[in-house]
Every structure is written in structure tokens, then in C-alpha cells.
Amino acid sequence: MTPVNAPVGAAASTPDRPRRRGIADTGPRFALLMTVVTASSVSMLDTVLAPKPNDTPGDPLGCLLAAGLDPDGRDLDNLLITASRSEALSTCMSGVPAVEHWKGMVAALLLLAVAAAVYWWTPRLRELKHRTIPVGGVDPDGTLAAELAGLRARAGITYGLAFRVDPARTTAGAVVYGRFGHYTVCLHAGLLVRRGTDPEGFRAVVLHELAHIRNRDVDFASASTALWRVFVVLALLPYLYHEGRMLFEGLFGLTDSPFWPGVASALGYSLLAGLVLVGLVHLARADLLRRRELHADAVAVDHGASHAAWEHRDPPGTVAASVRRVTTLLRTHPTWAERRRALADRTRLSGVGALSVFLVGVGTTLLVNALLVVPGLSTNSGAAWCTAAFVAPILWFALARSVEAAQGTGRKESGVRTGIWLGCGLILGEFVRGRHGNEWLGPAPWFLLGLLLAATVAAAWSAQCTRLALAFSRTWARRAAGLLNLLVVAAVLGAGLHWWYRSGQYLAAGLHSQTEVFRDQVTSMYPGTWQAYSWELSAVVALLPSLSALTKSIPVEAAALALWFLPLVVWACTGTPALRAGRTLAAGLAGGALGWAGLLAAGYVQHGRRPGSWAERAGAYSFFHSWLVMGAILASTLITAAAVAALSRHSWLPRALLAAAVSQLLGLAGTFVLFSADGCLGRFSVMTDRCHWLPDAGLIYLGPITRTIMTPTILLAGCASLIGAGVGWGVRRLRRGSPIRPDPAGHPDGTSGRTQTPPPPPAADTRLRLLSSGMVLVLAVPASLLTMAAHEVWSGAKPASAAASVDAPDDPLGDLVDSPPTARKAKIREWQMLAWLDHGGLTHYKRIADGVADVGDALTAAGKQKPGSNGKIRLDTKKFSGLCGSLVKRADDALAYFPVPDKNLQKTWSGSLKGIARQGRICQDAMTRGDDDPYKTEADRSRAFSRALDGTLKAVGRLTTVLDKMTNVATGSTRRP
């Protein structure tokens, strides 16, 4: 039955009434925003409630000082110090009294309780403040109540709802407020007047307010407002005062702390993070409130509101247009023009807003930073995957809705713009985190662009693969593809963030400039002459940190495989022409041919400088040949991806990745062939000139190469595709005046520009299905086997050159710091030494001294025995072997502790410990008999044992001397706390 007040023609036609709900669009982002506020309140209150710093090297600062951290030193030095002794730092921290985070958590729970009370009582306080009255007070004949009841039924509101009137408001509007299950629509007095002159306008206003209830956004708006106000008063303002006061004292010379001015940047970033949070919340709430208004307009029209009710003029502005564009971001209500555009084109409601994803990136980074106190999230991997877990669902859902809404329109959703804004948000969030030590900006901030590339690749791939998946005719298939899409997006984002936390942030801090350290690290691992490989060595040490950060992670490797395999499966199942599989595979074959040419060129170059002896070929020569092979495969793959992306108009990223995967597989196949047939290639032979087909040798060399570049190549190909697509887009823009050959679909993104429906499934041609399925198997099986084999230990006899040719150190930072740099201030040096002694230095010395005393006691006890017939005392070899072994272990444990924060003392300290360990092993060997016993007679064994004891005593003497010097440094002008 048609409602009485419905517009004319409403019953005769079925309007386009997509069932959109504001909660579907704004709900998750409201939830994320409030989670950021709640988590930030924990860390802020934790800081405010923490005891006032007393400028002493106490816990947990003591462990960092013991490791050599200098609050006034370079950030890179501090990062390397903590990373190079991460195990010792974890051991030290495990014995430190835990930070009382429960105080901040309890305070945050109290804050939430206050916010809940504010949320609960705000509606009642609002009614008392504005002195609103029930509708019955202005409706003597009951017609208003009847009409409101009809509108309520039309909107489908069946739960608690009351109508009230604000007699003091003369505007022709209304407002809805309340709490869950109990809502109130308050009509302004001017709206009652409008009811008589413009009944359609009256009904539109009421239906709009009822749509807010229908969309469930009243609860989000009310709860977020209550929480934000309480957070500002109880957490944000005290935190800003706490940090600002310390910064003020330092800037105006009111403190003599040795941590100043090194701590100035940390305090500055703390204040900046608080201010950014204020801006973030204001912008996010304004954006969300504007979008909820647009959703409410759409639902109101779906329920019968007249479009004429939105024909209002916006008041003329008094500011410039450029300023107005900025101030518009702070408005909580859209303009009338924006509302009319949204009603005319409903796809705008499903579009991805640049500001929305930007704020999601910033907010998520701040959230994860606030959650670092949670066990497991404080690690690099934990922070990376936690960030991806928050961002990926929001990104995927927003892009999926936008792509589906764009079907049948001329609007194109490539995902690039969304990814760029998301990446900018992640960059700003990482910058605000202030992980620069005492530096305001890292030496190489351009490495932050890696986050931009990762976010853009993830967004573009998600959008374009969602479009490909629309070709599925069955709903369950589209949903399954969507779920896989979500998982891949999360893995790609996690890979980019994992690279940033494990390698990128250190490169941004200046690690890229430490090439000499990495060069020494590589040259010490492999023998040979390195003068002839200067530029190759520079390239290797530049790639090592990034390549090692993208390997040995199952989710990342699975994502690299799925990036090109999932679109291929969609094509095989649906036959969608958007992928243009034939041309794409042909491009991949061309890239593979280019890779083979690169492999032959590498062999030709290496053959010309091949050393004469096998021993020389097994060192630097073989190492760099393997890296030249990897460089040829990597270069051909990236060139292929960039070229395909530049020449493609639609689905350019899946096509580029598929071509790159084919090129890479062919390159790896060529590597196997060339190494297996080495010696049969004449001028291109590398190791030998004897012609044999040795597939085992090919597998031996293929293993390390696959482990090193299999996954990073595809991920880097995604970045190369972005560059190629950007170049292609720029060229087409420059040539826009000349005729451009249109796509077969008649539109650059594959649409006709008017309407388009998902392409029907192809006819059941058995030959085509077999061909496509065979193509999938031909590509997927070797790629899957190679990916799985990257986790296995390659069996067989490995020559040293193959086994160590390309393997990078497990830790890209390695043991880069023999001893911490000398602190700039004398007081810091004293505290470092004091903390080093208190947190383990004295303990290790005492354990070694006790071990030596145990050996002395055992000798004393043995001396009290009755001599044998030969006049000599018989020692208990098993007992002394155990005592010497215990001494060795204690010396090794001391070596694993933090280096002494003084280079000169560290050299003597570590040398003495190594001497104790060496003499202890000699003592242990002398007391142990075996088949490979190096001692021929008991006299030799006795002399070795005696010399070992003498050497141990001398080393302990040197250790005692060094310890006395350390004590003098630690107690020079600082009393123990």
C-alpha cells in the first residue's frame, strides 16, 4: 500500500533503492577512531602517572645505558647498539621490574566509565538545557502525531523513539539524539511552521532524521563525542601539560639533566603526536559526520522524501575559494550542492574518499604505536602485522564497494589514488612516532617512500582484482575471491611494513651510509681477491638489507605467489578478456628471453676474468657470478613489469605481475640450464671448460638464488609496475591531442562509458578450458615448488662456493658494533659504566672468579690426598673437566653480555675473556681422554693442564685490573642510586 504522503508516482515506479546503511561505511572507521583514542589514553595516562624522572640510571633505563645508549648521541649509533646485542638486552630487561602499565590501564578504564556516564546522561541533560517539550504540547488536534507516526512506519523504526519540540529554535530543522534503544527526534519550532507552507520539505527533514536512526549512526556519533570530550579533559590536556612542562624547562635552562638537549626531540614529537591526534580526530569526525549525512539523505529519498527538499542555495562565502576548500574539511555537514550531487549519483556514497584513507593510515600507525606495551606487538614483526590487520579490512572493503558501485558508470576505480593517500597517512604516522632519537629528522627520510609504494601496490591490486572477480557468475565464487583478495592485501601491506620495521627504518636512520661495514662483513665471509669487484660489491651491500627483510616469511612468500596466480585463476575460470592472457604471457616470454640474454652476458663477462685456480674461483669470483645471475633475472623481470604496465590501459597491475612471474620463472629455468651445462657453453662457461650435463650442480646453485630473489622480485615488480604505469599515463596525457586508439570495450578502464554488466561466463568449450587449465598448471606448479623449496635445506654435496655464494647474513645489521661510541658527556659515561656493572658486568666477573676459585679449591683438596707409589697425586679427571667446562661457559656468557662502554677497556676485557675461554678448553681437553687425544703421554697432559691454569690466572688478573678501572670510571662523580 502506498503511503498517503508519498510523492506522486512513487507507487507506479520502483525507484533505485540500494540498501545502503551508514554503519556499513562509517561504522568501521568510527570504531577505529575510538580505538585509537582509547589506546592513546592508556599510553598518555601511563606517562602522566609515571614517577617523575630523577636523573639516575635506574631501571629500565639502566639496561639501555648498560648496552651503550647515549641519549645525546646519534640515533643510528643507538639503534645499532641495541640491535647488535638484542639477546643481551632482552635478558637484561627480563630481570628488570616491569613498568607499571596497569596504572595507565586502570586510569583508562575509569576514563571509559566516565565517558559511558556522559553518553548515558547527555540526552537528558540536553532536554533540560534546551527545555524541550513533548509533541503533544503543540499538537492539540493530533494531526502532527499521526503524520509523525506514518513517517516513522515508512522509515521502519519499530523500537523506542520519541518526538519532542524545541520552542526556542526558529530554524526549519530538526536533530536526533539519544542512546541505544532510546532515541529522540527534536523538531525545531520553525519546522512546524514549514509544515504548513512546505509539507514535502517537512517530511523530508523528518525522514532524514529517522534515517540516522535507521543507519545506526546516532550511537556512533554520540559515543564518539562523549569519549572524545572526556579524553581531552582527563588524558590529553594532562599529557600535553606533562610533556610541555619538561620541554619548557629544558628550553629555558631550568634543568641540569645530562639528557638535555638530546631529549628535546623526543618531547617535541610527544607533543606533536598529541596535536596530530587532535587534528586527526577532528578531521575524521567531520568527514564521518558529513558522510553519514549523505547516507541519511539517500535513505530518506528511498523512503519517499522529495528531491525538491534539497533545492537550497548555499550561503555565499566570505573567504577565498582556496581557503574554503580547507575549511570545508572541518565542517560536520556537507553543502547543499554536495548533497544534490550525491543524490543524483549514488555511486558517490560508495567512493573511497582520499581524506578517509589518509586518516585511516595515520590513525592505525598511532594506534599500533600506542599498543606497543602489549606483549608481542613490541617486536618489528608484531607491529607490522598488527598494522596490516587494522588497515587491510578497511581498505579492501572500501575498494570493493567502490568498484562494484562503478559498474555501469564511466567512473574508474584503479585504486592508485586510494593507495597513495593511504601511504601518505602511514608516512605521516611513522614520522609523528618520532623514532629519530635526538634527531628531528632522520638522515635519509626518503626511505619512507617504501611505505607509499607498498600501500599503492596493495590498493591498486585489490581494486583491479575485485573488478576481474566480478566476472564470476556465482555469488559464492565472488565471495571466495574477495576473501582471498583481503588476505593478499593484508600480506602485501604486512610485507611492506615488515620491510620498514626490519630494514627501512634503519636505512632511514643512516644505515645506508655504513657501506664499509657491510663490505667488511661480506669480504670476511668469503676468500678471494676483491679489487676487481668494486662496483658489484657496492651494489650487493646496497641490496642486502632490503632483500633479507623480504625473505623467510611464509605470509609474504604466499602473497608474492598469489599476486599473479589469483588473477590467472580468475581468467581460467571466467575467461574474462580484461586480463588479455595471451598478450600478457607473450610479454612474459619476451621478458624471459631478455633474462636469458642477461645470463649469457653475465657468463661472458665472468669468463673473461675467471681466475686460474679452483680455489680462487670458489671465493669472490663465484660469489659475484651468482649475484650477476640474480641481477640479470631481477632486471629483466622489473623491466618486463614496467613495460607491460606502461602499455596497458586496464588491469595493468595483474597483467604486469603475471608477465613478471613468467619472466622470473624462465630466468630461473635458464639459471638451472646454464649451471648444469657449464663447460659446454664455450665463451659463456664460468667454472670449467669440461663439457658435462650435471643437473645436481644446477640445483645446488639454483637453491640459494631462489631463496634470495624468488619473493622480493615479485614484490619489487609491483613497485616497478607503478612507475611504468605512471610513465605510460604521463605519455598518454602529453599525446592527448592526437587520436588514441580506444580499447575494445570503448573505455580506458574497460567500460563502455554508459552501462556495463559483468561479462557472461564463456561458452563451455572443452579445448579452451583444457588449454587455460594447463597453462595455470604449467605456471603454478614450478612456482609453488620453488617457493616451498626456499624453506628447505638443499641436500647433496655442496661446494663451498655454491653453499655460500649468495646467502646473506640472517641479521642484516649483524655485529656492526664492537663497542659503543664514547658518550659526549662525562656524566653519561659514568652512568653507562655504572649501569653496565650493576646489570651484569659484576655478576659475570663474580661467576668467573667463583669458577677459578672452584678449580683452586679442587686442587687444594687433591693436594691433601696421600701421594701414590710414584710420589704424585692423582687428579679426578672427570671433576676437573667439568670445572674447566663450566669456566668456559661462564667466559662465553660474559662475552655475550654488552660490550664495555669504553673502547680501550672493551678491548682488554674481551681479550681477557677470550683467553680464559681458550685456556679453559685446553684444560678440558687435557682432562678428557679420547680416540683423537692430542696428548701422547701423561707428562704432556700434565704440562698442558698446568699451563692452562697459569694462563687462566693471568687472564683473570688482567680482568681484575680492567674491572678496577671500570669502577673508577663509574664512581668518578656519581653515587649509586
Side-chain angles (χ1 to χ4, degrees):
M1 182 175 180
T2 305
V4 175
N5 295 321
V8 177
S13 62
T14 303
D16 179 20
R17 298 170 66 172
R19 293 188 176 182
R20 297 183 178 87
R21 295 290 182 266
I23 187 175
D25 182 76
T26 59
R29 289 195 288 133
F30 261 124
L32 174 63
L33 181 63
M34 292 303 98
T35 305
V36 173
V37 172
T38 304
S40 299
S41 67
V42 176
S43 59
M44 288 183 178
L45 291 171
D46 203 12
T47 302
V48 172
L49 297 176
K52 183 180 178 180
N54 57 359
D55 287 343
T56 59
D59 300 327
L61 178 63
C63 287
L64 295 174
L65 289 172
L69 181 137
D70 180 7
D72 198 35
R74 290 196 314 163
D75 184 45
L76 177 62
D77 293 334
N78 291 331
L79 286 173
L80 294 179
I81 288 166
T82 55
S84 62
R85 291 293 188 271
S86 57
E87 293 184 4
L89 186 60
S90 300
T91 302
C92 179
M93 287 293 190
S94 64
V96 169
V99 179
E100 296 180 336
H101 294 297
W102 65 268
K103 293 182 179 180
M105 294 181 181
V106 170
L109 290 177
L110 294 176
L111 183 147
L112 291 177
V114 175
V118 172
Y119 166 75
W120 187 265
W121 289 104
T122 294
R124 178 59 178 163
L125 295 175
R126 184 188 186 99
E127 292 173 359
L128 293 175
K129 176 183 177 181
H130 293 279
R131 298 181 179 180
T132 61
I133 59 176
V135 169
V138 295
D139 183 29
D141 56 0
T143 57
L144 176 59
E147 184 173 5
L148 293 175
L151 294 174
R152 172 179 175 177
R154 186 188 299 184
I157 307 298
T158 59
Y159 35 88
L161 173 63
F163 289 94
R164 300 182 69 86
V165 176
D166 187 348
R169 301 292 294 272
T170 59
T171 56
V175 65
V176 60
Y177 56 89
R179 56 179 183 268
F180 182 75
H182 297 83
Y183 304 104
T184 300
V185 175
C186 184
L187 310 177
H188 298 172
L191 183 63
L192 300 182
V193 176
R194 184 180 181 183
R195 175 172 173 254
T197 59
D198 182 14
E200 289 294 339
F202 170 80
R203 284 191 287 270
V205 172
V206 176
L207 286 173
H208 173 89
E209 301 304 326
L210 294 176
H212 283 303
I213 302 175
R214 179 79 173 175
N215 290 342
R216 304 278 189 183
D217 59 32
V218 178
D219 300 297
F220 289 110
S222 301
S224 63
T225 301
L227 179 59
W228 174 244
R229 290 173 178 174
V230 174
F231 168 76
V232 168
V233 174
L234 299 184
L236 181 61
L237 291 179
Y239 174 77
L240 294 178
Y241 171 77
H242 180 273
E243 300 296 291
R245 178 180 56 83
M246 290 193 293
L247 183 62
F248 177 85
E249 291 176 352
L251 291 175
F252 289 91
L254 302 179
T255 178
D256 57 352
S257 171
F259 295 139
W260 189 266
V263 76
S265 61
L267 293 174
Y269 274 112
S270 296
L271 293 173
L272 180 61
L275 297 176
V276 167
L277 184 61
V278 173
L280 167 69
V281 172
H282 276 293
L283 288 174
R285 286 188 71 251
D287 179 63
L288 292 170
L289 293 175
R290 286 195 304 271
R291 291 187 67 84
R292 80 167 191 149
E293 294 297 328
L294 297 178
H295 280 279
D297 289 343
V299 175
V301 171
D302 291 342
H303 290 155
S306 173
H307 282 273
W310 279 265
E311 296 297 332
H312 294 277
R313 286 187 178 182
D314 292 306
T318 59
V319 297
S322 57
V323 178
R324 192 182 308 119
R325 282 194 293 270
V326 177
T327 57
T328 300
L329 300 178
L330 302 176
R331 294 169 58 95
T332 58
H333 282 68
T335 63
W336 289 109
E338 290 175 322
R339 290 183 164 193
R340 287 191 295 270
R341 286 194 296 267
L343 290 176
D345 181 9
R346 294 292 186 89
T347 61
R348 291 178 176 271
L349 298 179
S350 300
V352 185
L355 178 63
S356 303
V357 291
F358 174 77
L359 296 176
V360 166
V362 180
T364 304
T365 308
L366 293 179
L367 171 60
V368 174
N369 186 46
L371 293 176
L372 290 180
V373 297
V374 179
L377 297 184
S378 57
T379 62
N380 292 337
S381 297
W385 294 113
C386 181
T387 305
F390 278 109
V391 174
I394 298 176
L395 176 64
W396 167 78
F397 180 74
L399 287 172
R401 293 179 73 242
S402 180
V403 170
E404 292 180 5
Q407 288 295 103
T409 69
R411 186 170 63 86
K412 179 181 179 181
E413 178 57 80
S414 67
V416 174
R417 175 174 171 270
T418 301
I420 290 175
W421 280 105
L422 175 62
C424 291
L426 293 174
I427 290 175
L428 178 60
E430 283 294 332
F431 176 77
V432 171
R433 290 176 69 181
R435 301 184 65 174
H436 312 296
N438 64 351
E439 299 168 349
W440 290 96
L441 187 64
W446 52 85
F447 282 100
L448 280 165
L449 294 177
L451 295 176
L452 179 65
L453 292 174
T456 308
V457 168
W461 186 91
S462 180
Q464 296 175 36
C465 285
T466 298
R467 185 179 179 83
L468 292 175
L470 292 177
F472 282 112
S473 58
R474 298 182 181 274
T475 303
W476 69 266
R478 290 195 295 271
R479 290 179 178 176
L483 178 60
L484 292 175
N485 191 318
L486 170 61
L487 295 176
V488 174
V489 168
V492 172
L493 286 173
L497 291 163
H498 184 70
W499 166 84
W500 167 251
Y501 287 122
R502 188 180 175 190
S503 179
Q505 63 177 343
Y506 300 110
L507 294 172
L511 186 64
H512 71 288
S513 63
Q514 305 295 308
T515 54
E516 292 301 323
V517 177
F518 282 112
R519 291 169 71 97
D520 295 341
Q521 210 174 32
V522 173
T523 54
S524 64
M525 293 173 61
Y526 311 109
T529 303
W530 296 87
Q531 288 78 5
Y533 308 101
S534 177
W535 72 269
E536 293 99 329
L537 182 58
S538 299
V540 168
V541 298
L543 287 173
L544 265 177
S546 295
L547 290 181
S548 60
L550 295 175
T551 56
K552 300 181 181 179
S553 173
I554 294 178
V556 175
E557 293 176 354
L561 183 64
L563 280 174
W564 62 268
F565 182 62
L566 186 59
L568 186 64
V569 171
V570 172
W571 167 77
C573 295
T574 64
T576 174
L579 196 59
R580 295 189 178 182
R583 295 185 181 182
T584 304
L585 294 174
L589 292 175
L594 179 63
W596 278 60
L599 294 175
L600 291 175
Y604 184 85
V605 171
Q606 286 293 89
H607 184 86
R609 55 182 182 180
R610 183 174 61 182
S613 66
W614 275 97
E616 292 177 313
R617 296 179 191 178
Y621 173 79
S622 178
F623 174 86
F624 280 118
H625 179 63
S626 298
W627 275 96
L628 283 176
V629 168
M630 288 190 294
I633 298 174
L634 185 63
S636 62
T637 303
L638 299 187
I639 291 173
T640 301
V644 171
L647 298 175
S648 300
R649 300 285 186 87
H650 58 88
S651 300
W652 49 268
L653 184 54
R655 292 184 62 191
L657 291 172
L658 176 57
V662 174
S663 175
Q664 183 193 41
L665 290 175
L666 290 175
L668 293 175
T671 301
F672 171 75
V673 172
L674 292 180
F675 279 112
S676 298
D678 189 40
C680 305
L681 304 176
R683 189 66 177 80
F684 302 100
S685 297
V686 177
M687 296 298 295
T688 181
D689 291 325
R690 299 182 60 183
C691 183
H692 292 288
W693 174 253
L694 299 174
D696 288 344
L699 290 175
I700 288 174
Y701 279 93
L702 185 62
I705 291 175
T706 301
R707 286 198 300 270
T708 304
I709 67 168
M710 183 71 182
T711 296
T713 298
I714 296 299
L715 298 177
L716 293 175
C719 301
S721 302
L722 292 178
I723 298 174
V727 172
W729 176 83
V731 172
R732 286 191 290 272
R733 291 274 294 183
L734 292 175
R735 299 177 56 193
R736 177 166 291 182
S738 60
I740 298 177
R741 181 175 59 86
D743 275 22
H747 196 269
D749 66 347
T751 65
S752 64
R754 296 179 182 177
T755 60
Q756 178 179 342
T757 57
D765 190 327
T766 304
R767 289 178 298 176
L768 291 178
R769 289 298 179 93
L770 289 176
L771 178 62
S772 60
S773 300
M775 191 177 300
V776 171
L777 291 176
V778 167
L779 294 176
V781 171
S784 301
L785 292 177
L786 287 172
T787 301
M788 290 186 294
H791 293 281
E792 301 295 333
V793 178
W794 290 73
S795 59
K798 281 187 181 181
S801 59
S805 58
V806 295
D807 287 344
D810 290 338
D811 185 357
L813 297 177
D815 189 9
L816 301 181
V817 181
D818 294 330
S819 181
T822 303
R824 301 177 184 179
K825 296 184 178 180
K827 192 172 184 180
I828 294 295
R829 293 196 294 270
E830 295 167 7
W831 282 359
Q832 287 177 342
M833 194 65 73
L834 178 60
W836 189 91
L837 293 171
D838 284 347
H839 286 275
L842 286 175
T843 301
H844 285 296
Y845 173 80
K846 185 176 182 303
R847 293 181 71 241
I848 291 173
D850 291 343
V852 174
D854 291 340
V855 175
D857 292 342
L859 287 174
T860 301
K864 295 180 180 179
Q865 297 178 5
K866 184 178 180 181
S869 58
N870 57 359
K872 295 182 179 180
I873 299 173
R874 184 177 180 83
L875 299 178
D876 186 347
T877 58
K878 185 176 182 181
K879 179 179 180 180
F880 278 93
S881 176
L883 291 174
C884 292
S886 175
L887 192 60
V888 170
K889 185 179 184 307
R890 295 179 183 188
D892 290 339
D893 291 342
L895 283 169
Y897 182 58
F898 303 123
V900 179
D902 185 292
K903 289 187 177 182
N904 295 327
L905 297 180
Q906 162 63 15
K907 185 176 180 180
T908 307
W909 175 263
S910 61
S912 301
L913 291 176
K914 291 176 182 177
I916 293 172
R918 182 172 58 254
Q919 298 299 334
R921 290 186 178 91
I922 295 175
C923 170
Q924 193 175 17
D925 292 340
M927 292 290 101
T928 304
R929 293 179 174 84
D931 296 335
D932 55 348
D933 195 343
Y935 305 105
K936 297 180 180 180
T937 64
E938 288 296 328
D940 293 339
R941 191 183 305 277
S942 177
R943 283 193 296 270
F945 177 73
S946 300
R947 286 196 297 267
L949 292 182
D950 292 339
T952 301
L953 292 175
K954 291 179 181 179
V956 171
R958 292 194 298 271
L959 210 64
T960 303
T961 302
V962 174
L963 185 67
D964 292 338
K965 294 180 180 179
M966 295 180 194
T967 304
N968 292 333
V969 173
T971 59
S973 59
T974 304
R975 296 181 179 179
R976 295 198 178 193

